[in-house]
Amino acid sequence: MPFVVRDIQQTPNPNARKFILDRTIAEAATSFLNPAQGKEHPIASQLFEIAGVTSVLLLGDFVTVNKVAEAKWPVIVKRVRKILEENRNRGR
């Protein structure tokens, strides 16, 4: 079953967005600070394929994505939503 993105929240960091999901994606905090750290994770590896994404945090029912300042949120949000909504039982 794919994830449903219920909400997308701004954070105090203008280069981070929190994607609230319909269920748990990770029981414990799982941080990927660069693509090499996320390459073995089925979702993080896809998120790092988005131009401008610099880090990913999975915890409970949310995913936080950080980007470089120059990257534009509308493009990243669209791609993150698609990745999450097309994954089927792939969270860890």
Side-chain angles (χ1 to χ4, degrees):
M1 181 166 63
F3 290 101
V4 174
V5 177
R6 289 196 169 161
D7 193 20
I8 302 168
Q9 300 176 352
Q10 293 184 352
T11 71
N13 176 352
N15 293 313
R17 291 288 184 274
K18 187 175 180 179
F19 294 79
I20 309 298
L21 307 175
D22 64 329
R23 66 182 190 283
T24 300
I25 191 166
E27 294 293 332
T30 308
S31 294
F32 303 98
L33 303 178
N34 58 56
Q37 290 181 350
K39 72 179 180 179
E40 299 299 322
H41 191 278
I43 295 174
S45 61
Q46 292 179 65
L47 295 174
F48 277 114
E49 291 176 5
I50 302 169
V53 170
T54 59
S55 67
V56 173
L57 168 68
L58 310 175
L59 176 60
D61 67 346
F62 70 88
V63 176
T64 300
V65 174
N66 287 273
K67 68 171 188 68
V68 295
E70 302 78 30
K72 303 298 181 203
W73 275 120
V75 173
I76 292 174
V77 164
K78 182 178 179 181
R79 297 258 338 262
V80 170
R81 182 184 288 275
K82 183 175 183 187
I83 289 166
L84 293 171
E85 292 180 349
E86 289 182 355
N87 271 279
R88 301 185 184 283
N89 295 322
R90 295 174 99 179
R92 289 187 184 167

